[in-house]
Coordinates of all heavy atoms in Angstrom, one line a residue:
M810 N 45.8 -44.6 55.0 CA 46.8 -45.6 55.2 C 47.1 -46.2 53.8 O 46.2 -46.5 53.1 CB 46.3 -46.6 56.2 CG 47.2 -47.8 56.4 SD 46.5 -48.9 57.7 CE 47.5 -50.2 57.4
D811 N 48.4 -46.4 53.6 CA 48.8 -47.1 52.3 C 48.7 -48.6 52.5 O 48.9 -49.1 53.6 CB 50.2 -46.7 52.0 CG 50.4 -45.2 51.6 OD1 49.4 -44.7 51.0 OD2 51.4 -44.6 51.9
C812 N 48.5 -49.2 51.4 CA 48.5 -50.7 51.4 C 49.9 -51.2 51.8 O 50.9 -50.8 51.4 CB 48.2 -51.2 50.0 SG 48.2 -53.0 49.8
L813 N 49.8 -52.3 52.7 CA 51.0 -52.9 53.2 C 51.6 -54.0 52.2 O 52.6 -54.5 52.4 CB 50.8 -53.5 54.5 CG 50.3 -52.5 55.6 CD1 50.0 -53.3 56.9 CD2 51.3 -51.4 55.9
R814 N 50.8 -54.2 51.2 CA 51.2 -55.3 50.2 C 51.5 -56.6 50.8 O 52.4 -57.3 50.5 CB 52.3 -54.8 49.3 CG 52.0 -53.6 48.5 CD 53.1 -53.1 47.6 NE 53.4 -54.1 46.6 CZ 53.0 -54.1 45.3 NH1 52.3 -53.1 44.9 NH2 53.4 -55.1 44.5
C815 N 50.6 -56.9 51.8 CA 50.8 -58.2 52.6 C 50.1 -59.3 52.0 O 50.3 -60.5 52.3 CB 50.5 -58.0 54.0 SG 48.7 -57.8 54.4
G816 N 49.1 -59.0 51.1 CA 48.3 -60.1 50.4 C 47.2 -60.7 51.2 O 46.4 -61.5 50.7
T817 N 47.0 -60.3 52.5 CA 46.0 -60.9 53.3 C 44.6 -60.7 52.8 O 43.8 -61.6 52.8 CB 46.0 -60.3 54.8 OG1 47.4 -60.5 55.2 CG2 45.1 -61.0 55.7
C818 N 44.3 -59.5 52.2 CA 42.9 -59.2 51.7 C 42.6 -60.1 50.5 O 41.5 -60.2 50.1 CB 42.7 -57.7 51.4 SG 43.8 -57.1 50.2
C819 N 43.7 -60.6 49.8 CA 43.5 -61.5 48.7 C 43.5 -63.0 49.0 O 43.4 -63.8 48.2 CB 44.6 -61.2 47.7 SG 44.7 -59.5 47.1
V820 N 43.6 -63.2 50.3 CA 43.5 -64.6 50.8 C 42.4 -64.9 51.8 O 41.6 -65.7 51.6 CB 44.9 -65.0 51.4 CG1 44.8 -66.5 51.9 CG2 46.0 -64.9 50.4
A821 N 42.4 -64.1 52.8 CA 41.5 -64.3 54.0 C 40.0 -64.3 53.6 O 39.3 -65.2 53.9 CB 41.8 -63.4 55.1
P822 N 39.5 -63.1 53.1 CA 38.0 -63.0 52.9 C 37.6 -63.8 51.7 O 38.4 -64.1 50.8 CB 37.8 -61.6 52.7 CG 39.1 -61.0 52.2 CD 40.2 -61.9 52.8
D823 N 36.3 -64.2 51.6 CA 35.8 -64.8 50.4 C 35.5 -63.6 49.4 O 35.2 -62.5 49.9 CB 34.5 -65.6 50.7 CG 33.4 -64.8 51.2 OD1 33.6 -63.8 51.9 OD2 32.2 -65.1 51.0
I824 N 35.7 -63.9 48.2 CA 35.4 -62.9 47.1 C 34.5 -63.6 46.1 O 34.9 -64.2 45.2 CB 36.7 -62.4 46.5 CG1 37.6 -61.8 47.5 CG2 36.4 -61.3 45.4 CD1 39.0 -61.4 47.0
K825 N 33.2 -63.4 46.4 CA 32.2 -64.1 45.5 C 32.3 -63.8 44.1 O 32.1 -64.6 43.2 CB 30.8 -63.8 46.1 CG 30.5 -64.4 47.4 CD 29.1 -64.0 47.9 CE 28.8 -64.5 49.3 NZ 29.6 -65.1 50.2
T826 N 32.6 -62.5 43.7 CA 32.8 -62.1 42.3 C 33.8 -62.9 41.6 O 33.6 -63.2 40.4 CB 33.2 -60.6 42.3 OG1 32.3 -59.8 43.1 CG2 33.3 -60.1 40.9
L827 N 34.8 -63.4 42.3 CA 35.8 -64.2 41.7 C 35.6 -65.7 42.0 O 36.5 -66.5 41.6 CB 37.2 -63.8 42.2 CG 37.7 -62.4 41.9 CD1 39.0 -62.1 42.6 CD2 37.8 -62.2 40.4
G828 N 34.6 -66.0 42.7 CA 34.4 -67.4 43.1 C 35.5 -67.9 44.1 O 35.8 -69.1 44.2
K829 N 36.1 -67.0 44.9 CA 37.2 -67.3 45.8 C 36.6 -67.6 47.2 O 36.0 -66.7 47.8 CB 38.2 -66.2 45.8 CG 39.5 -66.6 46.6 CD 40.2 -65.4 47.0 CE 39.9 -64.9 48.4 NZ 39.8 -65.8 49.5
P830 N 36.8 -68.8 47.7 CA 36.3 -69.1 49.0 C 37.1 -68.5 50.1 O 38.3 -68.1 49.9 CB 36.4 -70.6 49.1 CG 36.9 -71.1 47.8 CD 37.3 -69.9 47.0
L831 N 36.6 -68.5 51.3 CA 37.2 -68.0 52.5 C 38.6 -68.7 52.7 O 38.7 -69.9 52.6 CB 36.3 -68.3 53.7 CG 36.8 -67.8 55.1 CD1 36.7 -66.3 55.1 CD2 35.9 -68.4 56.1
A832 N 39.6 -68.0 53.0 CA 41.0 -68.5 53.4 C 41.7 -69.2 52.2 O 42.6 -70.0 52.5 CB 40.9 -69.4 54.6
V833 N 41.3 -68.9 51.0 CA 41.9 -69.5 49.8 C 42.6 -68.4 49.0 O 42.0 -67.4 48.8 CB 40.9 -70.3 48.9 CG1 41.5 -70.7 47.6 CG2 40.3 -71.4 49.7
R834 N 43.8 -68.6 48.7 CA 44.6 -67.6 48.0 C 43.9 -67.3 46.6 O 43.6 -68.2 45.9 CB 46.0 -68.1 47.8 CG 46.9 -67.1 47.1 CD 48.3 -67.8 46.9 NE 49.2 -66.9 46.3 CZ 50.1 -66.1 47.0 NH1 50.2 -66.3 48.3 NH2 50.9 -65.3 46.4
C835 N 43.7 -66.0 46.3 CA 43.2 -65.6 45.0 C 44.3 -66.0 43.9 O 45.5 -65.8 44.1 CB 43.0 -64.1 45.0 SG 42.5 -63.5 43.3
G836 N 43.8 -66.5 42.9 CA 44.7 -66.9 41.8 C 45.5 -65.8 41.1 O 46.4 -66.0 40.4
H837 N 45.0 -64.6 41.4 CA 45.7 -63.4 40.7 C 46.7 -62.7 41.6 O 47.3 -61.8 41.2 CB 44.6 -62.4 40.3 CG 43.6 -63.0 39.4 ND1 43.8 -63.4 38.1 CD2 42.3 -63.3 39.6 CE1 42.8 -63.9 37.6 NE2 41.8 -63.9 38.5
L838 N 46.9 -63.2 42.8 CA 47.8 -62.6 43.8 C 49.2 -63.2 43.4 O 49.5 -64.4 43.4 CB 47.5 -63.0 45.2 CG 48.4 -62.5 46.3 CD1 48.4 -61.0 46.3 CD2 48.1 -63.1 47.6
N839 N 50.1 -62.2 43.1 CA 51.5 -62.7 42.7 C 52.4 -62.8 44.0 O 52.0 -62.4 45.1 CB 52.1 -61.8 41.6 CG 52.3 -60.4 42.1 OD1 52.6 -60.1 43.2 ND2 52.2 -59.5 41.1
A840 N 53.6 -63.2 43.8 CA 54.5 -63.5 44.9 C 54.9 -62.2 45.6 O 55.3 -62.2 46.7 CB 55.8 -64.2 44.4
G841 N 54.8 -61.0 44.9 CA 55.2 -59.7 45.5 C 54.0 -59.1 46.3 O 54.2 -58.0 46.7
G842 N 52.9 -59.8 46.4 CA 51.8 -59.3 47.2 C 50.9 -58.3 46.4 O 50.1 -57.5 46.9
A843 N 51.0 -58.4 45.0 CA 50.2 -57.5 44.2 C 49.3 -58.3 43.3 O 49.5 -59.5 43.1 CB 51.1 -56.6 43.3
C844 N 48.3 -57.7 42.7 CA 47.3 -58.3 41.9 C 47.8 -58.3 40.4 O 48.2 -57.3 39.9 CB 46.0 -57.6 42.0 SG 44.7 -58.3 40.9
D845 N 47.8 -59.5 39.8 CA 48.2 -59.6 38.4 C 47.1 -59.0 37.5 O 47.4 -58.8 36.3 CB 48.4 -61.1 38.0 CG 49.8 -61.6 38.5 OD1 50.7 -60.7 38.7 OD2 49.9 -62.8 38.7
R846 N 45.9 -58.8 38.0 CA 44.8 -58.2 37.2 C 44.5 -56.8 37.7 O 43.3 -56.4 37.6 CB 43.6 -59.1 37.3 CG 43.7 -60.4 36.6 CD 42.4 -61.2 36.6 NE 41.3 -60.4 36.2 CZ 40.0 -60.7 36.4 NH1 39.7 -61.8 36.9 NH2 39.1 -59.9 36.0
Y847 N 45.4 -56.1 38.3 CA 45.1 -54.9 39.0 C 44.2 -53.9 38.2 O 43.2 -53.4 38.7 CB 46.4 -54.2 39.4 CG 46.2 -53.0 40.3 CD1 46.0 -53.2 41.7 CD2 46.2 -51.7 39.8 CE1 45.8 -52.1 42.5 CE2 46.0 -50.6 40.6 CZ 45.8 -50.8 41.9 OH 45.6 -49.7 42.8
G848 N 44.5 -53.7 37.0 CA 43.8 -52.8 36.1 C 42.4 -53.3 35.8 O 41.5 -52.5 35.4
E849 N 42.2 -54.6 35.9 CA 40.9 -55.2 35.5 C 40.2 -55.8 36.7 O 39.2 -56.5 36.6 CB 41.1 -56.3 34.5 CG 41.8 -55.8 33.2 CD 42.3 -56.9 32.4 OE1 42.0 -58.1 32.7 OE2 43.0 -56.6 31.4
R850 N 40.7 -55.6 37.9 CA 40.1 -56.2 39.1 C 38.7 -55.8 39.3 O 38.3 -54.7 39.0 CB 41.0 -56.0 40.3 CG 40.9 -54.6 40.8 CD 42.1 -54.4 41.8 NE 42.1 -53.0 42.4 CZ 42.4 -51.9 41.8 NH1 42.7 -51.9 40.5 NH2 42.3 -50.8 42.4
P851 N 37.9 -56.7 39.9 CA 36.4 -56.4 40.2 C 36.3 -55.3 41.2 O 37.2 -54.9 41.9 CB 35.9 -57.7 40.7 CG 37.0 -58.5 41.1 CD 38.2 -58.0 40.4
A852 N 35.1 -54.7 41.2 CA 34.8 -53.5 42.0 C 35.0 -53.8 43.5 O 35.5 -53.0 44.2 CB 33.3 -53.1 41.8
V853 N 34.7 -55.0 43.9 CA 34.9 -55.4 45.3 C 36.4 -55.2 45.7 O 36.7 -54.8 46.8 CB 34.4 -56.8 45.6 CG1 35.2 -57.9 45.0 CG2 34.4 -57.1 47.1
C854 N 37.3 -55.5 44.8 CA 38.7 -55.4 45.1 C 39.1 -53.9 44.9 O 39.9 -53.5 45.8 CB 39.5 -56.3 44.1 SG 39.2 -58.0 44.3
R855 N 38.6 -53.2 43.9 CA 39.0 -51.8 43.8 C 38.5 -51.0 44.9 O 39.2 -50.0 45.3 CB 38.4 -51.3 42.5 CG 39.1 -51.7 41.2 CD 38.6 -50.9 40.0 NE 37.1 -50.9 39.9 CZ 36.4 -51.7 39.2 NH1 37.0 -52.7 38.6 NH2 35.1 -51.6 39.2
G856 N 37.4 -51.4 45.5 CA 36.8 -50.6 46.6 C 37.5 -50.8 48.0 O 37.3 -50.1 48.9
Y857 N 38.3 -51.8 48.1 CA 39.0 -52.1 49.4 C 40.0 -51.0 49.7 O 40.8 -50.6 48.9 CB 39.7 -53.5 49.3 CG 40.3 -53.8 50.7 CD1 39.6 -54.2 51.7 CD2 41.7 -53.6 50.8 CE1 40.2 -54.5 53.0 CE2 42.3 -53.8 52.1 CZ 41.5 -54.2 53.1 OH 42.1 -54.5 54.3
Q858 N 39.9 -50.6 51.0 CA 40.8 -49.6 51.4 C 41.5 -50.1 52.7 O 40.8 -50.5 53.6 CB 40.1 -48.3 51.8 CG 39.4 -47.6 50.6 CD 40.5 -47.1 49.6 OE1 41.5 -46.5 49.9 NE2 40.2 -47.4 48.3
P859 N 42.8 -50.1 52.7 CA 43.5 -50.5 53.9 C 43.1 -49.7 55.2 O 42.8 -48.5 55.0 CB 45.0 -50.2 53.6 CG 45.1 -50.1 52.2 CD 43.7 -49.6 51.7
D860 N 43.0 -50.4 56.3 CA 42.6 -49.7 57.5 C 43.2 -50.3 58.7 O 44.2 -51.1 58.6 CB 41.0 -49.7 57.6 CG 40.4 -51.1 57.7 OD1 41.2 -52.1 58.0 OD2 39.3 -51.3 57.3
E861 N 42.7 -50.0 59.9 CA 43.3 -50.5 61.2 C 43.4 -52.0 61.3 O 44.2 -52.6 62.0 CB 42.7 -49.9 62.4 CG 41.2 -50.3 62.6 CD 40.2 -49.5 61.8 OE1 40.5 -48.5 61.1 OE2 39.0 -49.9 61.8
I862 N 42.5 -52.7 60.6 CA 42.5 -54.2 60.6 C 43.8 -54.7 60.1 O 44.4 -55.6 60.6 CB 41.3 -54.7 59.8 CG1 40.0 -54.4 60.5 CG2 41.5 -56.2 59.6 CD1 38.8 -54.8 59.7
C863 N 44.4 -54.0 59.1 CA 45.7 -54.4 58.5 C 46.8 -54.4 59.6 O 47.6 -55.3 59.7 CB 46.1 -53.5 57.4 SG 45.0 -53.4 56.0
L864 N 46.7 -53.4 60.5 CA 47.7 -53.3 61.6 C 47.4 -54.4 62.7 O 48.3 -54.9 63.3 CB 47.7 -51.9 62.2 CG 48.0 -50.8 61.2 CD1 47.9 -49.4 61.8 CD2 49.4 -51.0 60.6
L865 N 46.1 -54.6 62.9 CA 45.7 -55.6 64.0 C 46.2 -57.0 63.6 O 46.4 -57.8 64.5 CB 44.2 -55.6 64.2 CG 43.6 -54.4 64.9 CD1 42.1 -54.5 64.8 CD2 44.1 -54.4 66.3
I866 N 46.2 -57.3 62.3 CA 46.6 -58.7 61.9 C 48.0 -58.8 61.5 O 48.4 -59.9 61.0 CB 45.6 -59.2 60.8 CG1 45.7 -58.4 59.6 CG2 44.2 -59.3 61.3 CD1 45.0 -59.0 58.4
A867 N 48.8 -57.8 61.6 CA 50.2 -57.8 61.2 C 50.9 -59.0 61.8 O 50.7 -59.3 63.0 CB 50.9 -56.5 61.6
A868 N 51.7 -59.7 61.0 CA 52.5 -60.8 61.4 C 53.5 -61.1 60.4 O 53.4 -60.6 59.2 CB 51.6 -62.1 61.6
P869 N 54.6 -61.9 60.7 CA 55.7 -62.1 59.8 C 55.3 -62.8 58.5 O 55.9 -62.6 57.5 CB 56.7 -62.9 60.6 CG 56.3 -62.7 62.0 CD 54.8 -62.4 62.0
T870 N 54.3 -63.7 58.5 CA 54.0 -64.5 57.3 C 52.6 -64.3 56.9 O 51.7 -64.0 57.8 CB 54.2 -66.0 57.6 OG1 53.3 -66.5 58.5 CG2 55.7 -66.3 58.1
L871 N 52.3 -64.6 55.7 CA 50.9 -64.5 55.1 C 50.0 -65.5 55.9 O 48.9 -65.1 56.2 CB 50.9 -64.8 53.6 CG 49.6 -64.8 53.0 CD1 48.9 -63.4 53.1 CD2 49.7 -65.1 51.5
E872 N 50.5 -66.7 56.1 CA 49.7 -67.7 56.8 C 49.3 -67.2 58.2 O 48.1 -67.4 58.6 CB 50.5 -69.0 57.0 CG 50.7 -69.7 55.6 CD 51.8 -69.1 54.8 OE1 52.7 -68.4 55.3 OE2 51.8 -69.3 53.5
E873 N 50.2 -66.5 58.9 CA 49.9 -66.0 60.3 C 48.9 -64.9 60.2 O 48.0 -64.8 61.0 CB 51.2 -65.5 61.0 CG 52.1 -66.7 61.4 CD 53.4 -66.1 61.9 OE1 54.2 -65.6 61.1 OE2 53.6 -66.2 63.1
R874 N 49.0 -64.0 59.2 CA 48.1 -62.9 59.0 C 46.7 -63.4 58.7 O 45.7 -62.9 59.3 CB 48.6 -61.9 57.9 CG 49.8 -61.2 58.3 CD 50.2 -60.1 57.3 NE 50.6 -60.6 56.0 CZ 51.8 -61.0 55.6 NH1 52.8 -60.9 56.5 NH2 52.0 -61.4 54.4
V875 N 46.6 -64.4 57.8 CA 45.3 -65.0 57.5 C 44.7 -65.6 58.8 O 43.5 -65.4 59.0 CB 45.4 -66.0 56.4 CG1 44.1 -66.8 56.2 CG2 45.8 -65.3 55.1
E876 N 45.5 -66.3 59.5 CA 45.0 -67.0 60.7 C 44.4 -65.9 61.7 O 43.3 -66.0 62.3 CB 46.1 -67.8 61.4 CG 45.6 -68.5 62.7 CD 46.7 -69.3 63.2 OE1 47.4 -70.0 62.5 OE2 46.9 -69.3 64.5
K877 N 45.2 -64.8 61.9 CA 44.7 -63.7 62.8 C 43.5 -63.0 62.2 O 42.6 -62.7 63.0 CB 45.8 -62.7 62.9 CG 47.0 -63.2 63.8 CD 48.1 -62.2 63.8 CE 47.9 -61.1 64.8 NZ 49.1 -60.3 65.1
Y878 N 43.4 -62.9 60.9 CA 42.2 -62.3 60.3 C 40.9 -63.2 60.6 O 39.9 -62.7 61.0 CB 42.4 -62.2 58.8 CG 41.2 -61.6 58.0 CD1 41.1 -60.3 57.7 CD2 40.2 -62.5 57.6 CE1 40.0 -59.8 57.0 CE2 39.1 -62.0 56.9 CZ 39.0 -60.7 56.6 OH 37.9 -60.2 55.9
L879 N 41.1 -64.5 60.4 CA 40.0 -65.4 60.6 C 39.5 -65.4 62.1 O 38.3 -65.4 62.4 CB 40.3 -66.8 60.1 CG 40.6 -66.9 58.6 CD1 41.1 -68.3 58.3 CD2 39.4 -66.5 57.8
R880 N 40.5 -65.4 63.0 CA 40.2 -65.3 64.4 C 39.5 -64.0 64.8 O 38.5 -64.0 65.5 CB 41.5 -65.4 65.3 CG 41.8 -66.9 65.5 CD 42.8 -67.0 66.7 NE 43.9 -66.0 66.6 CZ 45.2 -66.3 66.3 NH1 45.5 -67.6 66.1 NH2 46.1 -65.4 66.2
L881 N 40.0 -62.9 64.2 CA 39.4 -61.6 64.5 C 37.9 -61.5 64.2 O 37.1 -60.9 64.9 CB 40.2 -60.5 63.7 CG 39.7 -59.1 63.9 CD1 40.0 -58.6 65.3 CD2 40.4 -58.2 62.9
F882 N 37.6 -62.2 63.0 CA 36.2 -62.2 62.6 C 35.4 -63.4 63.0 O 34.3 -63.7 62.5 CB 36.1 -61.9 61.1 CG 36.5 -60.5 60.7 CD1 37.7 -60.2 60.2 CD2 35.6 -59.5 60.9 CE1 38.1 -58.9 59.9 CE2 35.9 -58.2 60.6 CZ 37.2 -57.9 60.1
D883 N 36.0 -64.2 63.8 CA 35.4 -65.5 64.3 C 35.0 -66.4 63.2 O 33.9 -66.9 63.2 CB 34.2 -65.1 65.2 CG 34.2 -66.0 66.5 OD1 35.1 -66.7 66.7 OD2 33.2 -65.9 67.2
L884 N 35.9 -66.5 62.2 CA 35.5 -67.4 61.0 C 36.3 -68.7 61.1 O 37.3 -68.8 61.6 CB 35.9 -66.6 59.7 CG 35.2 -65.3 59.5 CD1 35.8 -64.5 58.4 CD2 33.7 -65.5 59.3

């Protein structure tokens, strides 16, 4: 599955390597849904692969996708 460039994985989960808390937008996520540090992103980000979760949380806005992600994982 190709990345949907929705930005949810850069907002919803916590990313300890970057000091990014749960449900807080990563400072490197740009308005187009891409990473401004793509070539230098940490291993945790490089290792992420889009999967069926991306489809389960699909919604019109980033805020709605993050809310669905958090509910899905009971966070």
Side-chain angles (χ1 to χ4, degrees):
M810 176 174 168
D811 290 328
C812 178
L813 302 175
R814 296 181 64 101
C815 71
T817 307
C818 63
C819 300
V820 179
D823 63 331
I824 304 174
K825 291 180 184 6
T826 307
L827 297 175
K829 190 198 90 52
L831 183 71
V833 173
R834 183 185 184 96
C835 177
H837 304 291
L838 179 64
N839 67 31
C844 178
D845 283 335
R846 291 183 48 192
Y847 188 81
E849 303 166 7
R850 69 198 186 283
V853 67
C854 299
R855 283 192 309 270
Y857 180 78
Q858 296 297 312
D860 58 23
E861 66 277 352
I862 292 171
C863 300
L864 300 176
L865 288 172
I866 63 170
T870 68
L871 179 58
E872 292 76 21
E873 290 173 287
R874 290 188 296 273
V875 169
E876 184 178 314
K877 288 175 82 171
Y878 178 97
L879 296 174
R880 273 197 314 252
L881 180 66
F882 290 100
D883 224 7
L884 301 170

